[in-house]
Amino acid sequence: MDDFERRINREAGLLDTEGLVPIYLGNDIVGPRHYENWWAVEDDLNELQQRLPSIIPPHRQLFATAMIRSLKIALRLFAGSSPSFEVKVRDLVGGQTGPVQPAIIDGLRDTLDTLLQRRGIVRGELSQRIAEWESSNFLEPTRIEGTYGELMAEGRRRTAERIFDCGDFTMALNPVRDVPYTARCSFNDGLMDLNVDNGFTRASLKHLVAHEVFPGHATQLLYTRARVDQGRAQPEVLLCTANSVLGCVQEGIADDGVALIDWLEDEDDMIHIELRRLRSAVQTSAAWYMMADGWEPDAVANYLREIAAGQEPWVQGRLRMAAHPFRGPFISSYWTGAVAVRQVRERTPAEAMPKFIEYLYANAHSPQSLALFQPGVA
């Protein structure tokens, strides 16, 4: 599907530069099937759906069913249809529909309020105090690259101890501007793109290193290829940056990366992790308000600023992403995926963590299939 879409629709700009499968390390194992029309793709998906009970073990059918449903929505989009935002969030992404519950957002804000008060930041509205903490901790531009290098080294060390030894693999910092994202794993180029229109604290840069590289996307790519080569995983896990229901848990792994490698060091890290959760929840709600409920972009931008204390480049980037006909619903994948990964991680005892890591990284998942993990089951 990715190969066909890239061949026929690139000029339409629906998939921008990412494609349905932005990065894939398995072309030498499973190459693309070549299609000439979308009806042939649909026929293959329908046939696969009928054959699932005979070709996939029962415990994997929950994921496989969700994946086929996701690809069918992608097919409709690529063929020129316009599914609703709700359908795309639910069936393409596998994300939570509707805005995040206000009580959850209020709870995250209350936690931040407590943490900031503990730091003596007490004057003004909460958004003002968040901005005060953040701006007072911004790294000077001249310190970003050096701090990035230090964080990469520590992230790699912790990832080798707890997840997977990536050897001497590293990614260079690539500053970019005027892009809708904050950071991106450009694995094939060996770069972590960083949108320097934003300011960064050490804690926020640490999160991005964890998300994009160690133990996030780049680690997933290296881990899954190694497991497939060892015969310990199926080739489907090599689709580990796919824009489909797969991406939900993969973004969850990346967003929970700091916790997965036990990298919370101080109160600034604690503040940032709660702020990141708040912004993830708020951007999920904001995308829904704009694309499903019909809010005007200015109202959505004000919501992002007032409730999540978003920096202006981040606010504008969220608006651009939400409005994209294909990428927009994937905003929900960060929140849904992080909650799914965190819930299973937090109920897993320490002695079962290696087993959980193997289950998490070496299998393709939807949030529902991830929730099937049982520490005590062989």
Side-chain angles (χ1 to χ4, degrees):
M1 286 178 66
D2 178 70
D3 176 73
F4 184 42
E5 171 61 24
R6 288 175 186 271
R7 283 191 286 122
I8 69 168
N9 274 358
R10 179 47 57 86
E11 291 183 3
L14 183 61
L15 291 185
D16 54 52
T17 60
E18 287 200 350
L20 178 61
V21 185
I23 307 168
Y24 176 54
L25 302 187
N27 271 315
D28 60 325
I29 299 173
V30 179
R33 181 174 296 187
H34 296 289
Y35 291 105
E36 297 302 325
N37 58 67
W38 289 116
W39 295 275
V41 179
E42 186 173 26
D43 287 344
D44 276 359
L45 288 174
N46 287 335
E47 180 186 357
L48 179 59
Q49 189 169 26
Q50 293 173 357
R51 293 176 58 205
L52 279 184
S54 63
I55 61 176
I56 294 180
H59 71 283
R60 300 304 297 149
Q61 289 180 28
L62 186 63
F63 158 74
T65 299
M67 184 65 174
I68 292 173
R69 183 167 57 244
S70 175
L71 292 176
K72 284 186 173 183
I73 298 300
L75 184 153
R76 287 172 57 188
L77 272 162
F78 302 159
S81 183
S82 299
S84 70
F85 191 76
E86 179 178 3
V87 166
K88 288 188 285 188
V89 169
R90 184 189 66 221
D91 295 337
L92 174 65
V93 179
Q96 170 189 306
T97 58
V100 175
Q101 295 178 15
I104 292 175
I105 292 176
D106 289 344
L108 291 165
R109 284 170 58 85
D110 287 345
T111 300
L112 278 165
D113 182 33
T114 300
L115 290 170
L116 291 172
Q117 286 190 48
R118 190 185 301 167
R119 291 292 296 273
I121 304 174
V122 297
R123 295 183 179 178
E125 297 294 327
L126 179 60
S127 293
Q128 294 173 310
R129 289 187 283 133
I130 291 172
E132 178 185 343
W133 168 81
E134 197 167 31
S135 61
S136 67
N137 285 282
F138 280 156
L139 295 166
E140 293 292 334
T142 55
R143 291 185 55 206
I144 288 178
E145 187 160 9
T147 304
Y148 171 82
E150 294 168 6
L151 293 169
M152 283 284 285
E154 180 63 10
R156 178 170 54 208
R157 184 188 70 79
R158 288 174 175 268
T159 296
E161 288 180 352
R162 294 166 175 82
I163 311 288
F164 179 72
D165 188 349
C166 296
D168 60 358
F169 175 84
T170 192
M171 299 185 79
L173 182 67
N174 181 41
V176 295
R177 292 186 179 275
D178 193 28
V179 292
Y181 55 82
T182 304
R184 184 175 65 177
C185 174
S186 291
F187 182 89
N188 292 333
D189 298 320
L191 301 173
M192 192 188 97
D193 303 326
L194 184 70
N195 183 356
V196 293
D197 290 335
N198 296 282
F200 297 98
T201 66
R202 184 181 185 278
S204 66
L205 191 59
K206 176 195 291 189
H207 163 69
L208 294 173
V209 166
H211 185 111
E212 307 297 343
V213 191
F214 302 123
H217 297 321
T219 301
Q220 289 177 261
L221 287 156
L222 297 169
Y223 185 109
T224 53
R225 180 61 203 235
R227 289 296 187 265
V228 170
D229 288 345
Q230 295 162 359
R232 296 170 59 184
Q234 297 300 311
E236 66 192 31
V237 301
L238 298 175
L239 298 168
C240 57
T241 55
N243 289 318
S244 66
V245 71
L246 274 167
C248 202
V249 169
Q250 290 161 4
E251 294 297 347
I253 292 171
D255 248 17
D256 204 43
V258 168
L260 283 169
I261 57 175
D262 192 22
W263 204 6
L264 281 169
E265 299 173 289
D266 53 32
E267 280 198 341
D268 284 336
D269 281 348
M270 293 173 61
I271 292 170
H272 177 74
I273 201 168
E274 295 301 327
L275 178 57
R276 177 178 54 78
R277 288 174 180 169
L278 173 65
R279 287 176 173 165
S280 180
V282 170
Q283 71 180 13
T284 299
S285 294
W288 186 269
Y289 292 147
M290 188 165 92
M291 302 308 298
D293 290 350
W295 285 25
E296 292 296 323
D298 284 349
V300 176
N302 285 334
Y303 173 72
L304 289 165
R305 295 183 193 111
E306 292 171 8
I307 305 302
Q311 296 180 55
E312 197 59 26
W314 177 80
V315 169
Q316 297 304 320
R318 298 303 86 183
L319 295 180
R320 287 169 62 183
M321 183 176 178
H324 194 282
F326 183 69
R327 291 294 300 153
F330 284 95
I331 286 181
S332 70
S333 66
Y334 299 92
W335 173 257
T336 304
V339 169
V341 172
R342 187 170 69 251
Q343 285 179 340
V344 181
R345 173 180 58 78
E346 289 180 345
R347 66 173 168 80
T348 300
E351 63 272 16
M353 281 302 295
K355 182 181 175 184
F356 169 60
I357 293 299
E358 185 77 13
Y359 183 79
L360 178 65
Y361 278 77
N363 294 284
H365 281 296
S366 66
Q368 291 73 26
S369 71
L370 178 63
L372 295 176
F373 176 72
Q374 295 294 331
V377 179

